[in-house]
Every structure is written in C-alpha cells, then in structure tokens.
C-alpha cells in the first residue's frame, strides 16, 4: 500500500509539473533497427511497447493483424498499420507482411476526431518526413486532443494500447528504462507487441 501511495504521489507531481510548464506530450526517439510486431513478447529487444488493443475478457487481439505474410482475424478498424523496415504505413490495405490494426490518430497530416470523452494517458506511433518515433501524453487527454497534439509534429500517427498501465521500455546502455511510470503491470495482460530487436 505504501508503494502505491508513493507512485501516485510521484504521478500527481509529474502531471502538476506538466500542466504548469504547458507540456502535453513528449517525443521518444526509437533506436536504430527494424520495426517488428508479434503476438509473442520478445525476450531481449532494444525497444518494446504494447501495440494493438487486447480484449480483456478473452485475452484476444482486437482487429485484424498480419504476421509473416499471413492475415488473421476480421477487420475491426478501417485502416491498417503496415511495418516496413524502420518505418510504417497507414492504409486501408496491407502494404507489408507484418502489421496490426489500431485507431488512426493522424492521416496525411490531418488529425482525426473521436467521440470518446474519456481522458487517459496516451501513446502513439508517429512518423514525419524523416523517421518513426513515439509520442506519449504527459497528462490525461481525450483521443481527439491527443490526435491534435500528434498532428503538430507528424504526418501519420497510430494509437498504441496503453492498457491499464502503459507497459513499455527502451534500452539505453543495456539498461531497460520504463517509458511510463506504471509500466510493469500490463505486460502480463498484453497479447501483442511492437518492438525493435
């Protein structure tokens, strides 16, 4: 219980600081390497985050996905996130042998809008003219507000599953650095991963 209170206190101070500084999102540059997606968590990757949504009841991946050239399940969303080398493409059809479905936040530099009024911590896979990167919200926000923030620095952006706790890490000097403060819990509930080996 004491640990939970400490973590909540740190989170409250972090959110308060972000509000006071006007900081809404933070950019996370990805390590060099090929973007990969899998329904098995990589044992040792330079970078790893949750990707598509997981059905909490059946522990099933939500939406269609493509793995090693084979397409699985039915479509849930209009667009697909196709991974190709160190970049990705958002389209209404598969453009590579590996990818997943998720909500599109930014398409051709235009922010999408959503009716969901819930404010949550958010994460997105983004790209600009040069490279792919992550954006994470520093404060809880609606999907529409997050999409607007993503559109300020990206031409295309796909939502990523933050789950209850937003598991994710990036390795620096061979040390795993959590990408979000509650990152440890969700990994046991998640069914699929975006990673760089």
């Amino acid at each position: 219980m004491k640990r939970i209170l400490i973590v909540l206190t740190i989170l409250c101070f972090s959110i308060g600081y972000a509000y006071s500084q006007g900081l809404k999102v933070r950019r996370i540059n990805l390590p060099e390497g090929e973007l990969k997606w899998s329904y098995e968590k990589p044992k040792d990757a330079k970078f790893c985050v949750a990707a598509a949504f997981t059905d909490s009841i059946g522990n099933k991946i939500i939406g269609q996905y493509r793995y090693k050239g084979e397409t699985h399940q039915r479509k849930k969303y209009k667009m697909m996130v196709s991974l190709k080398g160190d970049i990705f493409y958002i389209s209404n059809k598969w453009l590579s042998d590996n990818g997943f479905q998720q909500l599109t936040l930014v398409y051709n530099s235009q922010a999408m809008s959503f009716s969901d009024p819930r404010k949550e911590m958010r994460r997105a896979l983004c790209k600009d003219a040069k490279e792919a990167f992550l954006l994470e919200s520093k404060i809880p926000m609606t999907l529409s507000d997050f999409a607007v923030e993503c559109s300020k620095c990206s031409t295309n952006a796909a939502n990523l599953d933050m789950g209850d706790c937003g598991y994710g890490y990036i390795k620096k000097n061979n040390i795993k650095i959590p990408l979000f403060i509650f990152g440890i819990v969700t990994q046991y509930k998640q069914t699929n991963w975006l990673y760089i080996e």
Side-chain angles (χ1 to χ4, degrees):
M1 184 67 177
K2 188 176 180 182
R3 248 188 212 166
I4 292 172
L5 288 173
I6 291 170
V7 169
L8 287 174
T9 302
I10 292 169
L11 180 63
C12 288
F13 276 117
S14 299
I15 291 172
Y17 179 77
Y19 270 118
S20 69
Q21 300 298 309
L23 306 173
K24 294 183 180 178
V25 295
R26 73 171 175 148
R27 178 177 171 139
I28 300 167
N29 293 322
L30 301 179
E32 288 184 9
E34 183 179 352
L35 281 168
K36 296 186 177 185
W37 179 92
S38 178
Y39 48 79
E40 293 179 354
K41 185 181 171 195
K43 291 181 181 175
D44 189 31
K46 291 190 279 189
F47 155 80
C48 180
V49 291
F53 289 131
T54 292
D55 178 352
S56 59
I57 297 171
N59 291 326
K60 182 180 177 183
I61 297 166
I62 295 177
Q64 197 173 78
Y65 62 90
R66 193 158 168 81
Y67 186 68
K68 294 185 177 178
E70 292 187 13
T71 304
H72 303 269
Q73 298 187 170
R74 293 183 180 181
K75 285 184 182 179
K76 169 72 176 176
Y77 307 108
K78 183 180 176 183
M79 306 299 251
M80 289 84 159
V81 180
S82 298
L83 307 175
K84 212 167 194 179
D86 61 355
I87 202 72
F88 70 96
Y89 298 93
I90 297 177
S91 176
N92 60 1
K93 61 183 179 180
W94 293 113
L95 300 175
S96 72
D97 290 341
N98 198 14
F100 57 97
Q101 282 200 296
Q102 246 300 359
L103 296 169
T104 300
L105 299 176
V106 180
Y107 187 67
N108 291 336
S109 301
Q110 296 297 311
M112 303 292 107
S113 61
F114 303 89
S115 58
D116 188 348
R118 291 175 297 177
K119 291 188 176 183
E120 307 281 356
M121 299 303 282
R122 309 284 181 185
R123 179 185 289 149
L125 175 64
C126 304
K127 72 175 179 179
D128 56 21
K130 297 178 182 177
E131 60 188 352
F133 56 94
L134 288 188
L135 277 186
E136 279 189 354
S137 66
K138 285 181 158 265
I139 57 174
M141 56 179 63
T142 66
L143 266 176
S144 292
D145 289 342
F146 187 50
V148 169
E149 291 300 317
C150 291
S151 72
K152 293 176 182 177
C153 59
S154 61
T155 57
N156 290 276
N159 189 55
L160 293 175
D161 186 12
M162 285 290 272
D164 295 330
C165 308
Y167 176 78
Y169 71 84
I170 190 165
K171 269 190 181 180
K172 290 187 179 176
N173 299 323
N174 218 26
I175 298 170
K176 281 186 183 179
I177 301 170
L179 293 180
F180 188 65
I181 198 164
F182 293 126
I184 306 165
V185 182
T186 328
Q187 62 176 308
Y188 304 111
K189 299 178 182 178
Q190 185 62 22
T191 58
N192 66 102
W193 310 93
L194 175 67
Y195 66 100
I196 295 173
E197 282 184 326

